[in-house]
Structure formats: structure tokens, C-alpha cells
Amino acid sequence: MCRWLAYSGTPVLLGDILYKPAHSLIDQSLHSRLGVETTNGDGFGIGWYGSGAGTPAIVRDTGPAWNNRNLQEIADHVRSPLFFAHVRASTGTAVQQTNCHPFRHGRWMWMHNGAITDFHRIRRDLSMAIDPALFSSLEGSTDSEVMFYLAITLGLDQDAPGAVARMAGLVEGMGREHGVEFPLQMTIAVTDSERLWAFRYSSRQPSRSLFYSTREATVRALHPDLAFLKDVSPETRLIVSEPLGDLPGVWNELPEGSCAVVQPGEDVLMSFAPEPV
């Protein structure tokens, strides 16, 4: 499987999040503690929103993140209020740039950890359910990208949680038509540059791990020595496949079958379930 993180809040250098924590995403690419595989070296990607840009910038490569000098160079010089980062462990599809996360379409950015079970058996039917106007935008061969374009087809622009629920319902329905008992395993992050949604769901629990950071004021009170917290706003949040360190009180597990919404003002945690299509 894979490891990922999503950051939203006060603009920071990407490197402060990607490299500096004790159990950073770069460390997880070599030494994952909670993933199916310890090593996630089948490519990586970062995506971020710059000042005034309506669409995110995406940088992806097929090599491992831990020794990529270009990634270090970018991370030490790019500052952003919202970014995604992903390290990949392939579940069977080719190791190539177009299969590395995050994926982008217009202002949207998407990344995924998990799998559609027996994807090769239902790939054609799922692909045919994508809006024909979107089909030519598909670049790679992963289940993750197909899920993204299905969500766009099913109304991501109008209702992100509903579109992801309908996508999950379609995957489960088609999977079971092909005799797949537990078709879907997913933790997903998706953003339109203004809000960030994170989903944790699987047809057969337990789902892949997913955590969100405690409110900044609480973390600051628990750990006043953390220099990183000095300048961040109360709305700063991290959502991660596994915690970036072992500090007590900082990380909370996202419940099974749930969706977290990070947005201006109050964040929201709601239940999530697939919707039949």
C-alpha cells in the first residue's frame, strides 16, 4: 500500500513537514510502522497550491522519495498553505510517473491508499462508467485514478462527500457483480484548494490507518517546546496515514467509516457510507 499526508493551514515550507518530524513521510517511505509494507519506494508525488493559483502544481517521480535530491530541493524552497504528499507501494500496476499520486484535474487534487480488490476483473466496467468527456484525461493505469474520475463523473464539483460515496457504492456494486466479496479498501484525501476532505472506509474492516492532528492550541499547551507551533494559526491541520512522531495528545485516529472536512471555521467529522448508484 502507500503512505500519505495532507496539510492545510498557515503557509509553511514543505520541507518542514516532509523531512523534519521524527517519523516524517520520508522516514515512512523506508520504515513504515502501520502500513501493509514497510517500504514505500515505488515512486512519490507532491502537489501544492501557490499564491493566487487556481490549479495545483504537481511533481511526481518513479524513484524512492528518501534519496531524491530534486524533492529535497523543492521542499526547501516551496511554501504553501495546502499541500499533499504521497509515497507509493504499488499493488500491481506499473511503476511509472502517471501512476504516482497525487492526481489533478482542474482545481481538484486527489490521493489514495488502499485498493480495489481484483481491479483487473472490473477495470473495464468501471472505466466505462467515467464520463466520456473526462476519459481522455486518464493518464495512468491505477485503480486510484479511476476512482478519482468516477468521483468527478458523479458530482465532485457539487458535493464532494456525496460523489465519493457514490463512487464507493459503484465500486462495491460492480465488484460484487463480479463475485468480489470485499471490493474496496480506501483512505482518500481530496481538495478543491478551499476545503480538504479525508475519507476512511473499507468493505471489510479494519480499514487502512488514518489520523488527524489535534487543535493547535491543545498541542501548544501539551508541548510548549515545539518551535514549529510558534507561528501557525488555530486552523492548521494535518491528516496522515500514520503519525509523524510519538508526542502524546497530538494524533487522533479517524474513525472507521468516516469523513473529515477541514475548512475555514469549524471542521467537521461525519459518518461515511457508500451510496448505491
Side-chain angles (χ1 to χ4, degrees):
M1 298 299 169
C2 310
R3 303 283 82 184
W4 60 254
L5 71 80
Y7 173 89
S8 176
T10 300
V12 294
L13 284 173
L14 273 59
D16 287 348
I17 307 298
L18 291 180
Y19 286 91
K20 291 185 178 180
H23 189 47
S24 70
L25 192 68
I26 305 304
D27 182 62
Q28 291 174 33
S29 67
L30 267 172
H31 306 296
S32 172
R33 299 172 184 171
L34 301 179
V36 175
E37 296 87 9
T38 300
T39 304
N40 299 274
D42 294 329
F44 69 86
I46 53 173
W48 69 92
Y49 294 88
S51 177
T55 59
I58 301 284
V59 172
R60 301 181 291 184
D61 201 357
T62 56
W66 63 77
N67 67 354
N68 191 284
R69 295 177 66 182
N70 288 331
L71 176 60
Q72 178 78 67
E73 186 75 13
I74 291 167
D76 286 345
H77 291 84
V78 170
R79 189 179 298 272
S80 175
L82 200 167
F83 66 89
F84 284 2
H86 187 282
V87 291
R88 183 173 183 243
S90 172
T91 55
T93 49
V95 178
Q96 59 192 44
Q97 277 195 22
T98 53
N99 284 344
C100 294
H101 309 222
F103 301 101
R104 171 183 62 192
H105 184 79
R107 73 182 192 276
W108 290 97
M109 191 160 56
W110 171 284
M111 61 185 174
H112 166 237
N113 175 38
I116 296 176
T117 306
D118 290 339
F119 178 56
H120 64 283
R121 293 171 56 187
I122 57 176
R123 177 181 174 186
R124 180 185 180 278
D125 287 353
L126 289 174
S127 298
M128 293 298 288
I130 295 171
D131 185 336
L134 296 170
F135 194 82
S136 62
S137 298
L138 239 72
E139 294 185 320
S141 57
T142 63
D143 51 358
S144 304
E145 190 180 18
V146 168
M147 291 164 67
F148 180 31
Y149 280 95
L150 284 172
I152 298 172
T153 298
L154 295 169
L156 191 64
D157 274 322
Q158 293 77 38
D159 172 19
V164 175
R166 290 185 287 275
M167 177 277 294
L170 180 64
V171 169
E172 288 198 325
M174 284 192 175
R176 286 168 180 153
E177 285 177 11
H178 286 76
V180 181
E181 186 177 5
F182 301 111
L184 185 59
Q185 175 73 243
M186 69 179 211
T187 62
I188 287 170
V190 60
T191 182
D192 62 356
S193 80
E194 296 178 0
R195 289 181 175 84
L196 163 64
W197 294 265
F199 301 86
R200 186 184 185 211
Y201 173 79
S202 62
S203 308
R204 183 181 191 177
Q205 299 177 6
S207 301
R208 300 289 180 255
S209 59
L210 198 61
F211 298 83
Y212 63 94
S213 61
T214 300
R215 288 183 174 277
E216 165 271 341
T218 303
V219 180
R220 195 194 300 270
L222 289 170
H223 305 283
D225 55 323
L226 292 181
F228 163 75
L229 295 175
K230 183 176 65 174
D231 299 317
V232 301
S233 73
E235 294 192 341
T236 296
R237 295 287 182 275
L238 271 162
I239 301 178
V240 297
S241 293
E242 58 186 79
L244 304 184
D246 299 322
L247 294 172
V250 174
W251 301 105
N252 311 276
E253 187 173 14
L254 202 70
E256 291 277 0
S258 63
C259 167
V261 189
V262 177
Q263 60 189 357
E266 282 294 315
D267 297 334
V268 176
L269 182 63
M270 66 181 85
S271 61
F272 173 85
E275 293 181 11
V277 177

